[in-house]
Amino acid sequence: MTDTAVRPGFRPTKPRTGDGTSVTSTYTELSKRIREAGLLERTHGYYGWVAAILTVALGGAVAGFVLLGDSWFQLLIAGALGLILTQFAFLSHEAAHRTILTSGPANDRVGRFLANGVVGISYSWWMNKHTRHHANPNRVGKDPDIETDTISFLEESAAEQKGFLALITRHQGWLFFPLLTLEGINLHMISIRSLLASAKSRARTLELVTIALRLTLYVGVVFWFLPIGMAFAFLGVQLAVFGVYMGASFAPNHKGMAIIPADSKLDFLSKQVLTSRNITGGRVMNVLMGGLNYQIEHHLFPSMPRPHLAKARLMVREHCARLGMPYTETNLVASYAIVVRYLNRVGLAARDPFDCPMFNQLRKV
């Protein structure tokens, strides 16, 4: 099905199916089928191979960095490093959802190591933010992913922007991907700021120390081996690629989908399906997006391992068709076009009602 649910302010109301069965009970039925099919069972071998491949890739990037020395080809290493670190971030995201190992604490240890020590962002900040998002995707006042920021995802947020931010908001659809080049450094800064603002604890101290050591070692090595101009360029490229890859992987999943009003009451199945969009592309896309391409299934069953999402998709799509519930999926390019159109439409709310060339000309007379 194509993207038929892209309607800001859309109020989904279908608490019962055509035969009077509650949608909640049908989700229970679907969950039972998913569990009986073994789709919630852990796939240790798959994640072992993924981790091994990424570790080898990271080692290759480090070796290439050392061997190239003072060369502008280092920027290729920087770009590759941005891609590799994003893939490690996907693994950390999956560990946070308890998909990799059987034990919750073991998953947390893996996720914390990858997020703090490898990628350099706060695991606890990510967990807090992402948990709230999963509980209420695209819900006004509840989903942190649609809160006011440089980019406005709600018309009321766009209307409140002033000055330079209002100028950005008016063209935010076209500026979205260029702005993602700054998202890498933004993620690092938010992580540190959130940790410094949080209550003191052993976990907080450990995260701060790990991130600080990782940052010091990484930046120190780059500036030790490379001339200062090349070092800045290296870090700029790595952070830009990381930011664009992260943003381009998460943005297609919910942006431009149904916005749920703050006072709306919605069952779990409808809330997750109507606000999420799948990206077609099969196994290749599953690797490139770290399983985020199966966003509907990921939101319905957050602890489902990545290799099982494709099989779950067939069952979920059939279930939604039986209920008459929109199931949205499209290709990657089309999803980006939807995001750009939606952001530009929201950005119209930031325009001054008197921002008219004729009005401005007459006002000067």
Side-chain angles (χ1 to χ4, degrees):
M1 181 175 293
T2 56
D3 216 324
T4 57
V6 184
R7 288 173 291 185
F10 171 63
R11 291 176 179 265
T13 55
K14 192 164 186 176
R16 294 187 176 276
T17 64
D19 60 5
T21 306
S22 73
V23 175
T24 299
S25 66
T26 68
Y27 173 71
T28 302
E29 172 196 333
L30 175 63
S31 298
K32 182 180 178 181
R33 291 176 57 207
I34 289 288
R35 190 174 296 277
E36 289 175 348
L39 300 183
L40 296 180
E41 294 179 2
R42 297 294 167 261
T43 54
H44 299 130
Y46 174 84
Y47 285 110
W49 275 108
V50 171
I53 292 170
L54 290 180
T55 301
V56 170
L58 181 60
V62 172
F65 175 83
V66 173
L67 293 173
L68 278 174
D70 183 358
S71 168
W72 285 103
F73 282 108
Q74 289 282 12
L75 298 187
L76 295 177
I77 299 295
L81 195 57
L83 299 177
I84 294 167
L85 292 180
T86 304
Q87 284 287 330
F88 272 114
F90 291 157
L91 277 186
S92 179
H93 164 247
E94 291 175 280
H97 280 291
R98 311 293 195 262
T99 65
I100 297 178
L101 302 174
T102 305
S103 162
N107 274 295
D108 278 337
R109 285 192 291 272
V110 170
R112 192 170 289 109
F113 168 75
L114 293 175
N116 300 341
V118 180
V119 182
I121 61 176
S122 169
Y123 182 74
S124 60
W125 163 76
W126 173 261
M127 279 282 287
N128 178 274
K129 175 179 180 290
H130 200 59
T131 298
R132 288 186 290 137
H133 161 70
H134 264 265
N136 291 283
N138 277 13
R139 189 185 188 98
V140 178
K142 295 289 186 179
D143 185 357
D145 286 0
I146 60 172
E147 290 178 354
T148 303
D149 202 343
T150 304
I151 297 292
S152 296
F153 299 106
L154 303 173
E155 291 182 3
E156 51 266 39
S157 300
E160 294 172 356
Q161 299 287 32
K162 303 296 182 183
F164 182 66
L165 281 181
L167 178 63
I168 291 177
T169 303
R170 286 196 288 268
H171 308 284
Q172 63 178 8
W174 304 119
L175 293 174
F176 180 66
F177 287 100
L179 285 172
L180 285 181
T181 58
L182 303 176
E183 183 63 12
I185 191 169
N186 183 51
L187 288 173
H188 290 289
M189 291 175 63
I190 290 177
S191 293
I192 295 172
R193 189 166 64 241
S194 66
L195 285 172
L196 292 174
S198 62
K200 292 183 179 180
S201 67
R202 182 177 179 276
R204 167 186 178 267
T205 301
L206 182 60
E207 280 205 59
L208 278 171
V209 169
T210 304
I211 291 174
L213 286 175
R214 185 263 184 198
L215 180 64
T216 301
L217 179 63
Y218 175 49
V219 175
V221 167
V222 170
F223 278 90
W224 179 269
F225 273 85
L226 302 179
I228 186 168
M230 191 179 297
F232 275 113
F234 183 95
L235 293 175
V237 169
Q238 185 266 299
L239 289 169
V241 171
F242 175 69
V244 171
Y245 192 4
M246 284 283 283
S249 298
F250 282 90
N253 306 322
H254 300 283
K255 303 301 181 281
M257 291 300 294
I259 297 295
I260 309 301
D263 59 350
S264 176
K265 293 183 179 180
L266 201 62
D267 65 274
F268 180 79
L269 180 68
S270 300
K271 176 171 61 176
Q272 302 298 343
V273 174
L274 296 174
T275 60
S276 303
R277 178 192 301 114
N278 278 9
I279 306 300
T280 59
R283 293 181 180 179
V284 173
M285 195 60 64
N286 204 24
V287 171
L288 291 177
M289 295 186 69
L292 296 171
N293 50 309
Y294 294 115
Q295 192 68 193
I296 295 174
E297 290 69 33
H298 172 60
H299 265 255
L300 289 175
F301 307 100
S303 62
M304 181 179 291
R306 195 192 310 181
H308 293 161
L309 292 169
K311 292 181 180 178
R313 168 183 168 272
L314 299 177
M315 298 171 68
V316 172
R317 190 174 61 174
E318 181 273 331
H319 186 79
C320 290
R322 182 162 59 86
L323 295 178
M325 182 178 293
Y327 180 96
T328 305
E329 59 181 2
T330 186
N331 63 62
L332 188 62
V333 174
S335 72
Y336 289 151
I338 291 168
V339 172
V340 170
R341 286 198 303 270
Y342 170 71
L343 292 179
N344 278 334
R345 186 165 65 246
V346 169
L348 290 174
R351 294 184 178 178
D352 187 330
F354 300 109
D355 188 14
C356 166
M358 180 63 72
F359 175 85
N360 290 330
Q361 183 178 357
L362 291 174
R363 185 168 57 179
K364 294 177 182 179
V365 176

